[in-house]
Amino acid sequence: MSTATANIEGAGTGAESTYFSDFASALRYWRTRRGVSQLRLSTDSGVSQRHLSFLESGRSQPSRDLILKLGIALDVPLRQRNAMLLAAGFAPAYQERSLSDPELASVMQALEFMLRQQAPFPALVVDRLWNLVMFNEPAAGMMKWLLGMPEEAVIPRDGSVNVLRLMLSPDGLRRHLLNWEAVCADSLLWIQREAMADGPGSEATALLAELSILPGMPSAGHLPNLERRALPFLPLQIARDDICLNLFTTITTLGTPHDVTVHELRLESFFPADPETAAWFRERFGG
């Protein structure tokens, strides 16, 4: 089995997230992460600075409502708000449903509608770790074409394919990216942001470490040179079989979610950056 095929069929990192051992360290982490002083957080949350100091030192223990209030004030993602609650001995406040849950049927219908609307151009849905959960036919066709897979091959929709791992691996999609250095740097920044949000011991931290040591990868802190770009976006310059495609992508998230799974979904839509690329996709996937 080739590595490229293994990347399609392989599972995720499997790392378990430990996050923080106590609420005090979680609160200190998030306040520092947001660059907010205790005085500013006191003003934003309506909690006295003295009480915040006691919470961060462990001299005082928070109530469940106070944790949620501070999580909102610090704009902590839902998964990490649950982690803060667990660290303080409380049950999670936000559910994490499977996409197959009947209560998420309307969300699935909305995503499927957006995927169909994007055709003949590719679009896919990933979770916060960029595990593939949904895609339209042009996205599947593009992946199979780039990886040399047969048309009848099945691409899993269960999250077992990690898009970043598939794209950044030297014998995965990366070998077809003419500007792979810039794409790799941008991709590492995406997962680095998730790792910083999750804190130490998380799945995102493990994935970042795994991707960072792939051959030829820039450091996770490397920033692309924006001054050299003539376009207002990072193009995806793809080449295979004498065919050159120029694409750019947009990322869509679902607003006002109250479920961890929904909060973490991202819809990545690919758009042609030139008429030739648009014509290629219309001819191949226009039906």
Side-chain angles (χ1 to χ4, degrees), residues 168-213:
L168 302 185
S169 174
D171 54 357
L173 299 179
R174 189 172 102 182
R175 67 187 188 274
H176 300 300
L177 295 176
L178 299 181
N179 62 331
W180 68 266
E181 295 96 338
V183 173
C184 288
D186 269 26
S187 299
L188 283 183
L189 287 175
W190 271 102
I191 197 62
Q192 183 183 44
R193 182 166 58 184
E194 296 293 340
M196 294 178 70
D198 282 3
S202 67
E203 289 180 295
T205 302
L207 180 59
L208 176 63
E210 176 191 340
L211 296 176
S212 297
I213 63 174

Side-chain angles (χ1 to χ4, degrees), residues 134-284:
M134 298 176 70
F135 49 84
N136 64 8
E137 288 306 311
M142 182 175 69
M143 283 190 282
K144 292 176 185 179
W145 172 67
L146 289 173
L147 293 172
M149 299 172 65
E151 288 294 324
E152 66 273 11
V154 177
I155 299 177
R157 300 172 183 262
D158 58 1
S160 62
V161 174
N162 184 270
V163 173
L164 292 184
R165 189 181 293 114
L166 180 66
M167 182 172 64
L168 302 185
S169 174
D171 54 357
L173 299 179
R174 189 172 102 182
R175 67 187 188 274
H176 300 300
L177 295 176
L178 299 181
N179 62 331
W180 68 266
E181 295 96 338
V183 173
C184 288
D186 269 26
S187 299
L188 283 183
L189 287 175
W190 271 102
I191 197 62
Q192 183 183 44
R193 182 166 58 184
E194 296 293 340
M196 294 178 70
D198 282 3
S202 67
E203 289 180 295
T205 302
L207 180 59
L208 176 63
E210 176 191 340
L211 296 176
S212 297
I213 63 174
L214 288 173
M217 290 296 290
S219 64
H222 173 72
L223 290 173
N225 187 349
L226 301 179
E227 295 179 356
R228 293 185 180 180
R229 293 186 187 167
L231 297 172
F233 48 76
L234 173 66
L236 222 63
Q237 298 172 339
I238 299 171
R240 184 178 187 269
D241 299 337
D242 297 325
I243 297 173
C244 293
L245 303 175
N246 291 294
L247 299 158
F248 69 95
T249 68
T250 63
I251 304 294
T252 302
T253 58
L254 300 177
T256 62
H258 294 278
D259 178 274
V260 173
T261 300
V262 175
H263 182 251
E264 295 174 346
L265 291 177
R266 286 105 167 92
L267 172 67
E268 183 173 22
S269 302
F270 294 75
F271 293 90
D274 56 44
E276 294 77 16
T277 299
W280 186 86
F281 276 98
R282 289 193 177 102
E283 179 180 350
R284 193 173 182 111

